[in-house]
Amino acid sequence: MTVRFKLLSVALATALLGAQVQAQGLRLAPAAGGAVAASRSATSDYIVAVVNSEPLTNTEVQREVLRVQQQFAAQRRPAPDLQRLNAEMLERLIDQKVLLQFARETGIRAEESAIDQAEQSIAAQNQLTVAELQRRVVADGLTVGMFRSQLRDQILMQRLRERDLEPRVRVTDADIEAYLQAQQNTSDPNQLEINLAQVLIAVPEGASAEQVQALQVQATQVLARARAGEDFATLVRTYSAASAQSNGGQLGLRSTSRYPASFVEATQRLAQGEVAELVRSLAGFHILKVVEKVNAGLPAMAVTQSRARHILLRPSAQLSETQAKARLLDFKKQVQAGQADFAALAREHSQDGSAAQGGDLGWASPGMFVPEFEAVMNQLAPGEVSEPLLSRFGLHLIQLQERRQAKLSEAEQRESVRALLREKKRDEAAQTWTQELRGRAYVELRDAPL
């Protein structure tokens, strides 16, 4: 088994917890309702809807409201209007009950082993044992039984979607061609991302008309040299204001909305490598060159790939998790002190199929490793060794060897478009499908008691 294999259960658990499983720890309070919802339930719980014969309570709705409010607070975003949020969460829970009822009625089941696997995956993703995860769940206001019941429901939902929704989603080669053609022909500036390089001929505050005229003449001369093909970075170093010389004068790839309107207007009709007419601003005269122009609706032309190696130890009856972690920490100290070679340690000790290659995992694009492994790897600098990391496969010690920008082939770009269109069509199909099932269900809304 290797870290390249992804398990459905992690995506499943992440969806269930509403993206609350974070690298820094598990936050289940919003989904569980926590102490706030629990304290209210005794006095304010009542039935707000009946879905077929199953009641939906105010407490269930308030748990969802609290979860969403805490998500917005964590992201430092203003929460939606409370009345609207209550209505949206009520509708969402009604739809969920309709789907779960339909799943059960049509024979979909979630085995205990599948629930166990989902629980283990959440624990591994958060570098916890199952026992530690269960203690966190209880501390956040859920019983273990309630938590596993939520996992069961999410497994049912996932299997229902795979059976009934996925067959509705088809992306043809014609769909891909039409999308690419539409994106290439778009004239919407909001779809563009550009990277501009500039030479800034600064105009001092309070400069006289004569000074401004002289600086404009200089800027015009620099513009002519840039258009004649002189090295732009050299022109930046020679003539640009000191504050605008970093990175060869490049301002970075960003959406057009993040550039001054005058910059966008001057460059919008230019191709990559062309130089615009002079642009005047309060800062001075700008000579702008289009370094890169990307349509945000098209897939990336390149991705950042990482090459890493690792040592994997699997906890067992003979090797506890604590012992495995201590052993990996010792390996890390040896490597950092120059007393041992990482590849040699991997060949001798790693319990992964990559051991024969010194733990080398080869070049990997984003998404090829399981999330908990990739998240740690992405934080490493070349040559750096991680702390021991717990994944669903065991304990890892990772060393990042190098990174590179890899250009995507035409086939890879088309697959990116296929995935993008599939996601879009899946969302549209899910909405229609849910509405169809909802339309066949009996739903009775009830007012709050006086």
Side-chain angles (χ1 to χ4, degrees):
M1 188 177 293
T2 168
V3 291
R4 288 182 186 271
F5 289 106
K6 285 185 168 183
L7 298 184
L8 170 65
S9 53
V10 167
L12 198 87
T14 303
L16 168 67
L17 300 177
Q20 294 167 71
V21 181
Q22 304 293 337
Q24 67 269 26
L26 187 65
R27 294 193 302 240
L28 294 177
V36 175
S39 66
R40 292 175 179 167
S41 62
T43 57
S44 63
D45 200 19
Y46 53 88
I47 295 173
V48 293
V50 176
V51 183
N52 292 319
S53 59
E54 187 176 350
L56 175 62
T57 67
N58 180 54
T59 295
E60 292 175 87
V61 175
Q62 294 312 311
R63 283 174 181 161
E64 283 297 293
V65 169
L66 181 62
R67 179 182 65 80
V68 173
Q69 287 176 326
Q70 293 192 358
Q71 283 182 343
F72 274 88
Q75 297 165 4
R76 298 186 178 181
R77 296 164 54 201
D81 173 75
L82 184 58
Q83 184 176 0
R84 191 186 77 182
L85 186 56
N86 270 287
E88 289 179 357
M89 293 305 103
L90 174 60
E91 290 298 309
R92 180 186 297 180
L93 289 173
I94 289 173
D95 288 345
Q96 180 176 304
K97 283 190 180 293
V98 168
L99 294 172
L100 286 170
Q101 289 170 2
F102 181 75
R104 295 186 184 103
E105 290 166 4
T106 54
I108 295 178
R109 298 289 181 267
E111 308 83 9
E112 288 298 311
S113 59
I115 300 170
D116 290 342
Q117 186 180 26
E119 189 175 40
Q120 291 162 10
S121 295
I122 297 174
Q125 186 175 352
N126 290 272
Q127 302 185 41
L128 301 169
T129 65
V130 171
E132 289 170 337
L133 170 64
Q134 291 177 347
R135 286 196 290 272
R136 296 284 290 273
V137 164
V138 172
D140 283 332
L142 270 181
T143 66
V144 172
M146 291 168 65
F147 177 62
R148 287 176 62 85
S149 178
Q150 289 184 343
L151 288 176
R152 184 190 308 276
D153 287 348
Q154 189 60 31
I155 293 169
L156 291 175
M157 294 278 281
Q158 182 68 25
R159 291 180 175 179
L160 176 63
R161 291 189 183 99
E162 290 171 353
R163 188 191 69 184
D164 291 6
L165 178 61
E166 290 301 322
R168 298 182 176 214
V169 182
R170 290 288 181 269
V171 178
T172 66
D173 289 341
D175 292 332
I176 296 173
E177 290 294 343
Y179 180 85
L180 289 171
Q181 190 67 35
Q183 293 300 322
Q184 288 165 356
N185 293 337
T186 184
S187 59
D188 182 2
N190 294 322
Q191 285 282 78
L192 292 177
E193 292 182 348
I194 53 176
N195 181 12
L196 302 179
Q198 70 162 338
V199 176
L200 171 60
I201 307 298
V203 175
E205 187 176 349
S208 66
E210 291 78 9
Q211 287 176 303
V212 173
Q213 178 64 30
L215 291 170
Q216 184 172 0
V217 169
Q218 183 187 44
T220 303
Q221 292 170 346
V222 174
L223 172 63
R225 292 169 63 179
R227 286 182 162 176
E230 283 198 37
D231 181 63
F232 201 84
T234 300
L235 295 174
V236 170
R237 288 194 299 271
T238 306
Y239 296 103
S240 196
S243 60
Q245 289 189 10
S246 62
N247 198 29
Q250 292 189 30
L251 302 174
L253 185 65
R254 64 183 77 169
S255 66
T256 53
S257 62
R258 294 180 57 198
Y259 274 104
S262 58
F263 286 20
V264 176
E265 184 178 351
T267 60
Q268 63 183 356
R269 293 180 178 83
L270 300 183
Q272 184 172 311
E274 293 185 331
V275 179
E277 295 290 343
L278 275 185
V279 174
R280 177 73 160 97
S281 75
L282 295 176
F285 296 98
H286 304 262
I287 297 98
L288 300 172
K289 179 179 180 179
V290 179
V291 177
E292 187 177 7
K293 198 175 252 190
V294 175
N295 189 322
L298 292 173
M301 297 294 287
V303 295
T304 301
Q305 293 184 327
S306 300
R307 186 173 185 179
R309 52 192 177 193
H310 78 140
I311 300 170
L312 173 67
L313 298 181
R314 303 179 191 275
S316 63
Q318 292 75 37
L319 182 69
S320 70
E321 185 178 312
T322 301
Q323 290 171 327
K325 183 176 182 180
R327 187 174 296 181
L328 291 176
L329 283 171
D330 183 56
F331 293 162
K332 179 178 180 178
K333 289 179 182 177
Q334 291 181 47
V335 171
Q336 290 178 326
Q339 298 170 348
D341 176 67
F342 193 101
L345 290 172
R347 280 190 288 270
E348 182 178 354
H349 300 286
S350 184
Q351 296 172 307
D352 184 61
S354 64
Q357 292 77 45
D360 191 349
L361 297 169
W363 286 107
S365 298
M368 290 183 66
F369 296 136
V370 292
E372 57 268 32
F373 186 97
E374 190 165 291
V376 172
M377 180 187 70
N378 287 344
Q379 295 174 5
L380 298 176
E384 187 177 2
V385 180
S386 72
E387 292 293 312
L389 156 72
L390 178 66
S391 83
R392 68 205 67 175
F393 302 113
L395 281 147
H396 308 259
L397 195 67
I398 308 170
Q399 184 181 51
L400 178 68
Q401 295 172 271
E402 52 185 323
R403 285 199 176 96
R404 71 181 182 188
Q405 287 294 114
K407 186 175 181 179
L408 295 179
S409 67
E410 182 180 349
E412 289 170 328
Q413 291 176 48
R414 290 177 67 86
E415 283 307 304
S416 295
V417 172
R418 188 183 299 277
L420 184 152
L421 291 178
R422 174 173 287 277
E423 189 66 26
K424 182 180 178 182
K425 287 193 172 188
R426 185 184 290 113
D427 289 344
E428 294 169 350
Q431 186 174 3
T432 302
W433 173 63
T434 303
Q435 288 172 348
E436 290 173 1
L437 293 177
R438 173 79 176 261
R440 300 202 297 264
Y442 169 77
V443 178
E444 176 191 339
L445 299 178
R446 295 188 179 180
D447 295 328
L450 300 176

